[in-house]
Amino acid sequence: MLDRLGFERKDRRNLLVVMAVVATVMAVVSSGTPLVRLVVGLIAGLISGSVFVVSTVVINRYKPAHW
């Protein structure tokens, strides 16, 4: 599905890196029980991944030809 949106291999790798880093940081800095921290990290990772996908699709669609 991501291929239809214009994602390249490096975009997929960057998506996973962004999601993992955000989820890890949020799980570490949030407060609560370990289960709450895990859920917070997962939700933050999913939200950041969604934002990454949307911004990458918009950039790939509307970037100048000389990029």
Side-chain angles (χ1 to χ4, degrees):
M1 180 176 135
L2 292 177
D3 292 335
R4 289 188 277 164
L5 295 175
F7 263 52
E8 298 174 4
R9 183 180 175 110
K10 66 178 181 174
D11 293 330
R12 283 187 233 127
R13 182 198 66 218
N14 291 342
L15 171 65
L16 291 176
V17 169
V18 166
M19 288 177 68
V21 168
V22 170
T24 303
V25 168
M26 288 301 293
V28 169
V29 299
S30 64
S31 61
T33 65
L35 180 62
V36 170
R37 296 173 107 176
L38 180 64
V39 170
V40 167
L42 289 174
I43 291 171
L46 290 174
I47 291 171
S48 67
S50 300
V51 171
F52 183 86
V53 167
V54 169
S55 62
T56 302
V57 167
V58 170
I59 288 170
N60 286 342
R61 183 170 300 252
Y62 297 110
K63 68 181 176 185
H66 64 275
W67 274 12

